[in-house]
Amino acid sequence: AKYWQQVVDMNEHQKASFSGKIISSLFNTVTNKKIAVLGFAFKKDTGDVRETPALTVCHMLMQDGAMVHVYDPKVQKEDAMNEFKYHNMVVDESRLKFDFSARQAVDGAHAIVVLTEWDEFKTYPYHEFYATMMKPAFVFDGRNLLNHAELQRIGFEVHAIGKGRNADGRMNMLPAPSRMGTPIGSPRAQQLVDGRHPVLGIKMDKICCIGAGYVGGPTCAIIASKCPHIKVTIVDLNEARINAWNSDNLPIYEPGLYEIVKKCRGKNLFFSTDVKGAIQEADIIFASVNTPTKIKGIGAGRAADLRFIESVGRTVAECSNGNKIIIEKSTVPVRTAEALDRVLTANKGPHTFWILSNPEFLAEGTAMKDLDMPDRVLIGGPTTDDGIAAASVLVDIYANWVPRERILTTNLWSSELSKLVANAVLAQRVSSINSISLLCEKTGADVAEVSRAIGADSRIGSKFLSASIGFGGSCFQKDILNLVYICESEGLPAVAKYWQQVVDMNEHQKESFSGKIISSLFNTVTNKKIAVLGFAFKKDTGDVRETPALTVCHMLMQDGAMVHVFDPKVHKEDAMTEFKYHDMQVDESRFIFESSARDAVDGAHAIIVLTEWDEFKTYPYHEFYAMMMKPAFVFDGRNILNHRELENIGFEVHAVGKGRGADGKLNVLADKSMPSPPLSMACGGSFAPAPRRLSAADSCKSTTGRVILVTGTAGFVGFHLARALKKRGDGVLGIDNYNSYYPAGFKRSRSQVLEEDGVLTLELDLNDAHVLTRLMNDHKFTHVVSLAAQAGVRYATKDPHSYVKSNIEGFVNLLEVCKMAKPMPRIVFASSSSVYGLNKKAPFAESDVVDQPASLYAATKKSNELIAHTYRHVYGLSFIGLRFFTVYGPYGRPDMAAFLFANKIMKGEALKIFQGPGGSELERDFTYVDDIVTGTIAAVDKVAPSTKETAQYDIYNLGNKDPVTVSYLVDCVEGALGKKAIREYMPMPPTGDVLKTSADITKAQAELGYSPTTSLQDGINKFIAWYKDFYPNGLDKEMSEYVPM
């Protein structure tokens, strides 16, 4: 109750604070001053005044003696008076006047106060208003609706919500975003002079990162991977940590990190303890050091400890041999850059330093994906010309792989604050839904259903609405407490109190969960064995900082429990270090880490799930139940298990936010992990709710403005592309006809995964013009990515008509529908390396003549290119065509070499390896699917609007630029499987295959920023890891019986 009351209190404080600002700005009195109020309704496009903020603002102004003149196009005075009376607010009606026009309200006023965001308010002639007002004339923009720079130019003193002010009393106005970085598609604004920036004089080809931790290591590894022309050196005084980075046992675990480090280390990525040498060699320096919460002194427990940041400043100043750009990568309080600048300025000597803020927005467990495809990159810098030039340097580095529209630039203080606020808002969502989970448990509601219902609201969204034991990790709590301290320091106690409630609610959730365990086990756990599954604060990481497991395990041990923990990535010493950091005393005889979940569970009274590791969902709980004391309990702190099945086994199950019936069992709705029973099987013949299906409208919801139709999403590339597009916030709808070229069940498994990720695949053929037209009209697609096609080279000799029907007729049908749409969508389509046919020149370049196809498949793909060119010329549709070179990877096509060879090796069947004339080896430019997806997304972002004036037509190769023999592919598959192949070499049959494919990707590199990063060995290792996971017990019946056509 206290948590939610703070929401109301904060709203009241905001209104009172805004009103107070008006009065204080007008020389601490508004007595008998005319104040023009624009808008009284609670929002635009309505006349509703219930609980409108204007009520409080106008009442406070009148209480101070103001003459308030209101203009609202939809509100009458009697409406306002009724609301004042409802709230028992006494109003002197002689001081409240409703005027018939804004001009009438403004005439002779001391200030304009904007309280409703009516669009017409943006169009008013404020220069004329200014001339009729008392001077100085003020504008208080309570909706941040107006052009503040223009108002200041006119002469107004402008105050707006959340806008800081300079020493001259004017608002901080940022430069236009276009001033930061080189514009998209243009040559560099400033050419380097002897490898140096022409304005700043710094070297551009070397980066130093100080701090080899969770932020510096992954961030700079990605930079090295994406920018092979830049040497990146990560330095740290901790020699053991640097040694670990230089070994195969990296000091941190993050999926995908090892592969990138291994690829770049020793080439353009280096780890060293030579801090001075790295600083002197590089002119671009990242500061990625720890900023822990202070544990003593002023601000202890809340303020950030900035001694390591200060040390970076002093070290850089001491070691520098020239000008440097210093980039704050650590999470720091607002105005840390100012403090760092003071340290550097006091010690800099003849050199110049430019300080930038570049906060990280990484989630542990997905950090590499977040870095590879970030939602945004934020760069803050000084707004001077030099500062903008320095920020542009960093913009250009990230633009090697991040679309420029996702690189945001702002001033230093906004950037520093944005990181704290981002984590605070995410944590706030977690605490909010956790608070509701407690209410659900009391009332019998299900928090998962509540989350689903509110998450379906596009204003809210579904992310960070999963109830749990609470948030953890190094950032959320630290950053919120830092924010609380800053608010207190700046004289904002009400704001500090609001954010403190987020942390307090999180602590309450952990304590409540722990208390439930003890009370359920008959009010004591003394000497009872408790099995704890998971100690890390989240899955896919070994990080235990601020993990909720700390509080839960400590409370259990305080009550006398014997706590046995199993976590696949956490060691006991990691947990003990965190206990000691928090001054929690632990009797180590009561705290045991086991090597397996089975050992932890054996003889236990209860299982407690504290981390959402995927493997925990797969355990044989019926076997665990047999090993445990009875009654046996499960406390699911992450709501990841099948609660109905556990209760059927015999467990007493407790879960976060799940109410309980009179029989003591959970009120369990149809589990998403179980098929819904037939209606006749529902208890007592009562209604069993059908599983919810994703709708096309849900699938098309977008946070980026892009709504994309992807054809062929049940296919290999379409599946991966749709997931990546959805992950970055695009609306994505898929279609597929699930043809029988290879097992349709396998295609449907892809669609099922997509639906779990929020992408719906409709079963639809490209030739169904009626349904396609309806989809286009209903969802207003901004882009179409055409990947659906009859695949395969050899199969064309058996069923040529299927290629004509799908690849030509289907493609033309799709374009006919697109050309009728208003507006017409932009189109990216898949061509193929097969179009190069019998070309002798290698590597293949887009400028090569491609009029010698070697297969019908190749001919249809070349036809697609010609058809696209025609539709561009005649109708103004805009196209980018992509010639894919031999794609492979997880969920790949089973008729392609990697998958086909893996199947045959596992079944002990011979591999048919084709050879050219004289026994020559066939060579292929095998390209990993993630690289293909990255290139395709770049094309989506580049393709121009479909109009007669702007339409483009471009073709790009997407390959790996490193062809290898098929025998080498077999070597890689053998190594990854750990099993030898039976090789059978034979002449290549005359079915349309070619001897060699090799991609010249120069054009894609230059214009799309395309740069493949995955070697064949690494890619095959990833593919085989997926293969073993997908088929843990061998191939299923459908796939084992599959014979490529």
Side-chain angles (χ1 to χ4, degrees):
K2 184 179 178 183
Y3 176 82
W4 287 108
Q5 182 61 47
Q6 277 296 319
V7 176
V8 178
D9 292 350
M10 188 66 240
N11 191 50
E12 291 305 311
H13 175 74
Q14 182 76 347
K15 292 183 285 187
S17 175
F18 183 76
S19 305
K21 181 193 294 182
I22 297 170
I23 295 170
S24 64
S25 298
L26 269 69
F27 315 106
N28 281 323
T29 182
V30 290
T31 300
N32 293 325
K33 292 179 180 176
K34 180 179 180 181
I35 307 296
V37 170
L38 299 185
F40 201 89
F42 86 94
K43 61 179 286 189
K44 72 175 183 177
D45 299 332
T46 181
D48 195 345
V49 298
R50 289 173 294 179
E51 304 299 339
T52 174
L55 213 66
T56 300
V57 176
C58 291
H59 191 256
M60 284 186 66
L61 292 174
M62 289 186 287
Q63 290 286 94
D64 203 73
M67 307 296 293
V68 175
H69 286 243
V70 179
Y71 168 70
D72 187 297
K74 292 295 181 183
V75 177
Q76 308 298 319
K77 183 174 180 178
E78 52 267 32
D79 302 324
M81 290 305 302
N82 287 336
E83 190 67 7
F84 278 121
K85 289 172 185 175
Y86 177 81
H87 287 275
N88 292 321
M89 291 177 167
V90 178
V91 174
D92 178 354
E93 291 196 47
S94 69
R95 293 188 175 276
L96 179 66
K97 182 177 181 182
F98 270 64
D99 289 320
F100 294 106
S101 70
R103 188 179 296 274
Q104 185 180 3
V106 166
D107 188 25
H110 289 253
I112 296 171
V113 182
V114 179
L115 296 183
T116 310
E117 69 278 18
W118 288 101
D119 291 332
E120 68 181 71
F121 294 168
K122 294 184 283 188
T123 67
Y124 286 166
Y126 286 95
H127 60 288
E128 295 179 14
F129 287 0
Y130 180 77
T132 69
M133 293 175 64
M134 304 296 289
K135 307 298 185 299
F138 296 80
V139 169
F140 298 90
D141 188 353
R143 296 294 183 171
N144 283 346
L145 182 74
L146 306 181
N147 184 329
H148 302 146
E150 177 63 19
L151 290 171
Q152 288 191 155
R153 190 191 65 76
I154 290 170
F156 286 102
E157 180 175 316
V158 183
H159 298 257
I161 301 288
K163 305 285 187 177
R165 305 182 68 77
N166 293 319
D168 62 1
R170 296 171 72 80
M171 289 176 57
N172 294 323
M173 296 296 173
L174 298 180
S178 61
R179 294 185 65 194
M180 298 285 195
T182 309
I184 298 173
S186 71
R188 282 187 176 274
Q190 294 168 320
Q191 298 299 320
L192 302 186
V193 179
D194 295 329
R196 293 180 178 271
H197 193 281
V199 174
L200 307 179
I202 63 166
K203 300 187 293 288
M204 306 282 286
D205 60 348
K206 293 181 179 65
I207 290 174
C208 165
C209 176
I210 302 175
Y214 273 93
V215 175
T219 300
C220 288
I222 281 285
I223 290 175
S225 172
K226 301 294 186 179
C227 307
H229 57 288
I230 297 177
K231 177 183 177 182
V232 180
T233 303
I234 303 174
V235 294
D236 201 294
L237 294 176
N238 187 328
E239 187 172 355
R241 178 174 284 266
I242 290 299
N243 289 340
W245 278 110
N246 283 317
S247 72
D248 287 336
N249 186 22
L250 302 187
I252 62 174
Y253 171 73
E254 193 64 47
L257 174 61
Y258 173 75
E259 290 79 5
I260 289 179
V261 170
K262 184 179 178 182
K263 181 187 76 170
C264 299
R265 192 172 55 200
K267 296 175 183 175
N268 71 321
L269 177 63
F270 301 88
F271 299 90
S272 172
T273 56
D274 182 8
V275 177
K276 179 179 180 180
I279 291 173
Q280 291 184 341
E281 183 181 43
D283 288 346
I284 303 171
I285 299 172
F286 282 90
S288 299
V289 295
N290 194 16
T291 53
T293 302
K294 289 181 71 173
I295 58 176
K296 60 184 179 181
I298 297 175
R302 293 173 300 168
D305 184 343
L306 299 180
R307 55 184 159 159
F308 300 116
I309 284 285
E310 180 185 349
S311 177
V312 167
R314 295 186 185 280
T315 302
V316 171
E318 177 186 341
C319 299
S320 286
N321 54 353
N323 300 343
K324 309 284 181 185
I325 294 176
I326 301 168
I327 302 158
E328 296 174 339
K329 199 66 185 169
S330 308
T331 300
V332 294
V334 186
R335 294 189 180 264
T336 296
E338 192 176 82
L340 184 58
D341 182 58
R342 289 171 59 195
V343 173
L344 288 162
T345 300
N347 297 276
K348 69 177 183 177
H351 309 308
T352 301
F353 300 106
W354 299 276
I355 300 171
L356 305 178
S357 168
N358 178 216
E360 52 85 12
F361 296 100
L362 308 180
E364 290 187 45
T366 60
M368 305 313 290
K369 292 180 181 178
D370 296 338
L371 287 163
D372 186 41
M373 297 178 62
D375 293 331
R376 81 291 201 196
V377 172
L378 181 61
I379 298 170
T383 54
T384 62
D385 288 342
D386 275 7
I388 293 171
S392 296
V393 170
L394 189 55
V395 169
D396 287 336
I397 290 173
Y398 278 111
N400 281 282
W401 76 97
V402 180
R404 287 184 182 268
E405 62 267 23
R406 280 192 257 161
I407 304 175
L408 312 180
T409 54
T410 184
N411 65 27
L412 278 168
W413 306 324
S414 298
S415 178
E416 290 174 337
L417 185 58
S418 294
K419 167 61 176 176
L420 298 183
V421 174
N423 280 341
V425 170
L426 293 175
Q428 179 192 45
R429 286 173 69 95
V430 175
S431 280
S432 294
I433 198 63
N434 281 345
S435 72
I436 298 303
S437 76
L438 297 172
L439 183 60
C440 288
E441 291 171 20
K442 294 291 186 182
T443 60
D446 184 337
V447 74
E449 294 304 305
V450 174
S451 296
R452 181 164 70 88
I454 65 175
D457 188 327
S458 61
R459 298 169 301 173
I460 299 172
S462 60
K463 293 184 178 180
F464 283 82
L465 287 180
S466 297
S468 68
I469 47 173
F471 58 75
S474 64
C475 291
F476 277 10
Q477 180 156 313
K478 179 187 74 170
D479 289 354
I480 297 174
L481 291 174
N482 194 351
L483 187 61
V484 169
Y485 180 73
I486 291 169
C487 292
E488 289 177 343
S489 301
E490 296 292 338
L492 300 169
V495 182
K497 185 179 179 182
Y498 175 82
W499 288 109
Q500 181 65 47
Q501 277 297 317
V502 175
V503 177
D504 292 348
M505 187 67 239
N506 194 52
E507 292 303 311
H508 177 71
Q509 181 78 347
K510 293 183 283 187
E511 292 167 3
S512 175
F513 184 78
S514 305
K516 183 197 295 180
I517 297 170
I518 296 170
S519 63
S520 299
L521 269 69
F522 316 106
N523 281 323
T524 181
V525 290
T526 300
N527 293 325
K528 291 179 180 177
K529 180 178 179 180
I530 306 295
V532 170
L533 300 185
F535 200 88
F537 87 91
K538 62 181 286 190
K539 71 175 183 177
D540 295 332
T541 181
D543 195 347
V544 299
R545 290 174 291 180
E546 305 296 342
T547 174
L550 212 67
T551 299
V552 176
C553 291
H554 192 255
M555 284 186 66
L556 293 174
M557 288 186 284
Q558 290 288 95
D559 203 73
M562 306 295 293
V563 175
H564 290 244
V565 179
F566 169 70
D567 188 295
K569 290 295 178 183
V570 177
H571 301 290
K572 183 175 181 178
E573 52 267 30
D574 302 323
M576 290 305 301
T577 298
E578 190 67 6
F579 278 122
K580 290 172 184 174
Y581 177 80
H582 288 274
D583 290 326
M584 291 177 166
Q585 300 300 315
V586 173
D587 178 354
E588 293 196 47
S589 67
R590 294 185 174 277
F591 188 56
I592 297 97
F593 265 63
E594 303 284 10
S595 59
S596 71
R598 189 177 294 273
D599 289 340
V601 166
D602 190 19
H605 289 253
I607 296 171
I608 305 174
V609 178
L610 297 183
T611 310
E612 69 278 20
W613 287 102
D614 291 333
E615 68 182 72
F616 295 168
K617 294 184 281 189
T618 68
Y619 286 166
Y621 286 95
H622 60 287
E623 296 179 14
F624 287 1
Y625 180 77
M627 301 162 60
M628 295 174 64
M629 304 295 289
K630 306 298 185 297
F633 296 79
V634 169
F635 298 88
D636 187 355
R638 297 292 183 173
N639 285 350
I640 63 169
L641 304 182
N642 186 325
H643 302 144
R644 173 179 287 164
E645 180 63 24
L646 290 171
E647 288 189 331
N648 289 340
I649 290 170
F651 286 101
E652 179 174 316
V653 182
H654 297 257
V656 174
K658 306 283 185 177
R660 306 182 67 76
D663 59 358
K665 292 182 177 292
L666 289 178
N667 296 328
V668 181
L669 295 177
D671 282 290
K672 295 176 178 60
S673 56
M674 300 174 64
S676 297
L679 189 59
S680 60
M681 293 175 60
C683 293
S686 61
F687 172 71
R692 183 175 70 97
R693 165 124 189 193
L694 185 71
S695 71
D698 289 335
S699 190
C700 288
K701 287 179 179 176
S702 170
T703 61
T704 65
R706 289 180 291 265
V707 182
I708 304 174
L709 175 67
V710 181
T711 73
T713 44
F716 174 31
V717 176
F719 163 75
H720 284 280
L721 176 66
R723 295 185 85 184
L725 291 171
K726 192 66 177 179
K727 180 179 184 297
R728 72 174 188 166
D730 294 342
V732 183
L733 183 65
I735 62 172
D736 203 290
N737 69 356
Y738 297 97
N739 72 20
S740 59
Y741 176 66
Y742 58 81
F746 182 56
K747 296 179 182 181
R748 294 188 186 279
S749 70
R750 295 187 186 125
S751 296
Q752 183 176 347
V753 173
L754 280 179
E755 188 158 350
E756 292 169 359
D757 287 346
V759 178
L760 179 65
T761 298
L762 301 174
E763 188 161 356
L764 175 65
D765 194 280
L766 282 178
N767 288 291
D768 191 337
H770 175 72
V771 178
L772 273 179
T773 300
R774 194 177 71 195
L775 287 177
M776 196 71 66
N777 291 337
D778 286 349
H779 302 294
K780 308 298 182 188
F781 298 111
T782 61
H783 297 70
V784 171
V785 181
S786 175
L787 301 176
Q790 176 57 62
V793 171
R794 301 183 192 104
Y795 182 58
T797 62
K798 300 179 180 179
D799 185 7
H801 297 290
S802 65
Y803 288 79
V804 174
K805 184 174 180 61
S806 177
N807 299 6
I808 296 180
E809 291 179 15
F811 188 63
V812 169
N813 193 61
L814 177 66
L815 300 192
E816 283 292 306
V817 172
C818 288
K819 83 174 190 187
M820 299 300 293
K822 295 180 181 179
M824 297 187 295
R826 314 173 191 205
I827 301 173
V828 175
F829 69 98
S831 184
S832 168
S833 62
S834 295
V835 300
Y836 290 105
L838 302 180
N839 282 21
K840 303 297 183 183
K841 170 185 161 291
F844 302 149
E846 295 89 343
S847 57
D848 294 346
V849 176
V850 285
D851 57 5
Q852 300 182 78
S855 66
L856 180 59
Y857 171 72
T860 62
K861 285 298 182 179
K862 174 58 181 174
S863 297
N864 287 168
E865 296 180 1
L866 297 173
I867 291 166
H869 188 277
T870 302
Y871 273 74
R872 182 259 183 191
H873 174 71
V874 177
Y875 303 109
L877 283 170
S878 193
F879 294 91
I880 289 181
L882 302 173
R883 294 173 178 171
F884 296 154
F885 282 68
T886 319
V887 190
Y888 72 98
Y891 284 99
R893 275 173 42 196
D895 65 313
M896 296 290 281
F899 207 131
L900 182 64
F901 289 172
N903 285 351
K904 287 186 174 292
I905 291 172
M906 293 306 294
K907 291 192 289 185
E909 298 177 0
L911 306 187
K912 295 180 180 179
I913 303 175
F914 298 134
Q915 295 177 315
S920 59
E921 286 270 19
L922 270 62
E923 293 182 55
R924 291 290 181 269
D925 200 346
F926 295 104
T927 311
Y928 191 64
V929 67
D930 286 359
D931 292 327
I932 291 292
V933 167
T934 300
T936 305
I937 290 177
V940 168
D941 292 341
K942 179 180 174 59
V943 63
S946 286
T947 70
K948 276 283 193 178
E949 296 73 27
T950 62
Q952 75 177 106
Y953 174 83
D954 274 302
I955 298 291
Y956 296 92
N957 287 337
L958 294 187
N960 197 47
K961 70 172 183 178
D962 187 20
V964 299
T965 64
V966 176
S967 292
Y968 179 71
L969 171 67
V970 176
D971 294 343
C972 293
V973 176
E974 284 178 337
L977 283 173
K979 186 175 181 180
K980 284 290 184 181
I982 303 170
R983 307 188 189 204
E984 191 174 307
Y985 291 89
M986 60 184 60
M988 182 174 66
T991 51
D993 269 334
V994 296
L995 296 175
K996 180 178 181 178
T997 63
S998 176
D1000 180 342
I1001 62 172
T1002 304
K1003 182 181 178 185
Q1005 285 176 318
E1007 298 180 19
L1008 296 180
Y1010 174 69
S1011 180
T1013 61
T1014 310
S1015 68
L1016 181 61
Q1017 182 67 72
D1018 289 344
I1020 290 297
N1021 288 342
K1022 293 177 183 179
F1023 165 71
I1024 295 299
W1026 165 83
Y1027 181 92
K1028 290 178 177 178
D1029 183 67
F1030 194 80
Y1031 297 114
N1033 302 312
L1035 298 175
D1036 56 36
K1037 185 174 186 294
E1038 186 180 41
M1039 190 61 75
S1040 64
E1041 294 176 356
Y1042 165 65
V1043 177
M1045 296 182 179

